[in-house]
Amino acid sequence: MADSWDGSYDHGSQSEESYHFERLHIEPIYDSFICPLTKQVMKDPVSLENGQTFEREAIERWFRECRDSGRKLVCPLTQKELKSIELNPSIALRHTIEEWTARNEAVQLDMARRSLNLSSPESEILQSLQYVQYICQKSRSNKHDVRNNELIPIIVDMLKSSSRRVRCKALETLRVVVEDDDDNKAILGEGDTVRTIVKFLSHEQSKEREQAVSLLYELSKSEALCEKIGSVNGAILILVGMTSSKSENLATVEKADRTLENLEKCENNVRQMAENGRLQPLLNHILEGPLETKLSMASYLGELVLSNDVQVLVARTVGSSLITIMRSGNPQSREASLKALNQISCCEKSARILIEEGILPPLVKDLFTVGANQLPMRLKEVSATILANVVNSGYEFDHQTLVSEEIVHNLLHLISNTGPGIECKLLQVLVGLTCSQATALNVVAAIKSSGAIISLVQFIEAPQKDLRLASIKLLQNLSPHMGQELADALRGTVGQLGSLIRVVSENLGITEEQAAAVGLLAELPERDLGLTRQMLDDGAFELIFSRVVKIRQGEIRGTRFVTPFLEGLVKVLARVTFVLGDEHDAVSFCREHELARLFIELLQSNGLDNVQMSSAVALENLSQESKNLTKLPDLPTPSLCSSVFPCFSRQPVITGLCRLHRGTCSLKETFCLLEGQGVEKLVALLDHNNEKVVEAALAAVCTLLEDGVDIEQGMKVLCEAEGIPPIIEVLVEKRTENLRRRAVWAMERLLRSEEIAYEVSGDNNVGTALVDAFQHADYRTRQIAERALRHVDKIPNFSGVFPNLGGG
């Protein structure tokens, strides 16, 4: 039994190499050193009552097995029953074995030391490294011997081996050597060894990476080495990358993650982690660290460039804490938190989170506070920047939060009394507030009551581009509500109008500033004769025209601002057509640049509704002026005979006259729509999805039926262009009140033709639409609908009895 039992005892975790190495004893093994059960050198020898000596662990195991199997407790060698199982330590033998072991291990360690040479065979090096691991795992004191024998630098040299197996074994051995031994870690941390270990993290062989990260994990347990590891260029970046890698094995990922957790002890490492995308440690420091650390981390957060998703994460995690720090009266605290909040308020989502966390009241307070607690101007600029960010996030503000008259007046006061940096940000705040219909009217009212429009307009000439852009965008937002005030402010000798035109005409592609500038000009009252006159004098329309042409010819290629820029250009160019009856220079400009032809071509700008609408409006104005510009033929003076005897006179026949205007017409000179397929292209827009485009196109078409032209010929022109069915469709659909009003007017004119009236009278939809207009429309439209219904005999015509009623 005893003979078979010894093979079942595990003699340790030694590898074949280290066990083989250990058996090369320098001094012989005495039989008394060997346990009869394990056949191994004893570590803790004990004696039985009969004097037999065994390894304590082995004999105790023997006794357990005897009990478990129900056998008598006997000596494993003599097989005689024991009266006592008391174990007596063999102290002298143990000391003798320890001395013998120490002498042998010293010699064996020296042998291993000599074998650890890059010129040694691979097998010898591997055996030596394995033996070093074995003795270090066997006894902590052996780690001291390894250190005292200066083996650590020698093992480090093995990292230079050309053998991958040797390099892996060296990394593994170093990990065992430094485990739970700060002195060995300190020696390994000397020189460039840490840098060398970090290099193995990027090796292609996963085994080397795994051993290297395990070694770094051990080293990172030493606070003294954390800073050294973090100081190696790329170390933290690689470790962070490993934690998110899907190709690494889980053990390696976990070791990398735990290594980074250890490295968090050093603030510099935390900063590096944040810079490389591992933000949580920095956020934890802001949440839980001492005040000095909180401020340091918040300040560093303010220097990072964060993606939108990360800004949202940071706002959710530490937004409230940063706002709390900002409320502190401590200047350093406020500065650190403001910088961080500035960084995480750029994204709309994160800005809204900060608003919900209560950022607005302390921000406004910081901006407006004067006296002992006021912020220095450079920090007021940061506050203004944050405020601009959150206001432009699209959040629906309570009316009194930011747009009370007092707050807007304070903002306007600061804008007029600070430097360009803060002025720009505060103007951006007003831009954000005027983007929402809910708050724009409050801001407009406050600006009007403060009389600030003149000072706001002056920023158009600011040399700083950002400041100029902010002011132009603000004025563009104000223009629908303060168009006439803006026109009055721009009209004059100060030069702001000229500055706007210069911005539009700059040959820099198409910028946001240019789009905003032309958008502002487009919103100014188009019938302001004085403004249009000044624009004519300044050559503004020539510049606008040239930009439109360049875009159409492809000389200015598309950018994200090309659509609003072109829409604004066309609308500004159209304003010249509103003053044709008052300004001969406007007529000359339209003729010289053939604007009628250009606007007809622009009707086909599919997808650009505002361009089509402005072009149709311009064509309506041009067409209305045609009857005034048409040159009527000079008829010869009748002879005496013809005047006495009219029956002998013959009316002279004049060819080439416009059938609509009865004179000499052309698209270029008189803007007559009968040329250039103007009518057909306008008719094509009558089924447009955008009601405003339909309204503008219908208004232009109606100029063919106005008083002052040959209405009968206008009807024929519309019939030829297949324009009557679309007009009927507009009437029947009743999409808007303006469209109904215009369509009813057009139908009444068309129904004056008996032929058209006969054809339409059978269409119940037309009758119903006219009856509905007669009953529910405004007073003027109801009158026109009544006349139209008479044309189709829906209402009796009493004009023969009451000639003064229902006149045309």
Side-chain angles (χ1 to χ4, degrees), residues 8 24 87 117 142 329 405 475 497 499 505 624 691 716 719:
S8 68
L24 299 176
L87 302 177
N117 190 299
N142 287 339
E405 188 172 57
L475 296 174
L497 180 60
S499 296
S505 61
Q624 283 179 332
E691 296 151 356
K716 290 181 179 179
C719 286

Side-chain angles (χ1 to χ4, degrees), residues 145-328:
D145 295 337
V146 168
R147 178 173 69 250
N148 294 335
N149 280 279
E150 299 182 348
L151 268 168
I152 295 176
I154 295 172
I155 300 171
V156 169
D157 279 344
M158 296 302 102
L159 298 176
K160 301 174 185 175
S161 172
S162 59
S163 165
R164 181 175 62 83
R165 292 183 65 200
V166 169
R167 295 195 302 268
C168 282
K169 184 63 76 174
L171 288 166
E172 183 183 8
T173 304
L174 288 170
R175 177 182 58 78
V176 174
V177 168
V178 302
E179 201 167 19
D180 299 324
D181 193 309
D182 288 343
D183 292 332
N184 285 359
K185 285 175 184 172
I187 290 175
L188 190 58
E190 293 174 356
D192 263 0
T193 305
V194 173
R195 187 182 302 276
T196 302
I197 297 167
V198 169
K199 287 181 181 177
F200 280 98
L201 296 179
S202 56
H203 274 219
E204 292 183 5
Q205 292 295 334
S206 60
K207 191 67 178 174
E208 286 176 286
R209 285 202 303 275
E210 186 178 338
Q211 293 296 346
V213 76
S214 294
L215 175 53
L216 278 177
Y217 170 61
E218 279 304 320
L219 295 176
S220 69
K221 293 177 182 178
S222 165
E223 193 166 344
L225 286 177
C226 284
E227 187 169 355
K228 180 133 192 173
I229 295 171
S231 68
V232 176
N233 187 32
I236 288 178
L237 173 60
I238 296 171
L239 287 167
V240 170
M242 292 174 79
T243 61
S244 59
S245 172
K246 295 181 179 178
S247 60
E248 298 286 353
N249 65 57
L250 290 177
T252 303
V253 170
E254 183 182 351
K255 279 285 174 62
D257 192 59
R258 291 166 68 186
T259 302
L260 287 167
E261 287 176 6
N262 288 339
L263 295 180
E264 290 174 18
K265 301 183 193 88
C266 175
E267 284 190 17
N268 283 334
N269 293 343
V270 172
R271 292 189 182 94
Q272 280 196 66
M273 290 177 204
E275 188 177 335
N276 291 299
R278 189 180 173 97
L279 265 172
Q280 197 57 50
L282 182 143
L283 302 183
N284 290 340
H285 278 58
I286 292 176
L287 289 172
E288 302 166 4
L291 180 59
E292 187 177 344
T293 302
K294 283 185 177 184
L295 299 187
S296 171
M297 293 295 110
S299 182
Y300 187 71
L301 181 60
E303 298 172 13
L304 293 175
V305 177
L306 306 175
S307 67
N308 287 353
D309 289 344
V310 174
Q311 287 186 49
V312 173
L313 169 68
V314 174
R316 284 189 179 136
T317 308
V318 297
S320 178
S321 297
L322 291 171
I323 292 169
T324 300
I325 296 171
M326 183 182 70
R327 292 177 185 271
S328 161

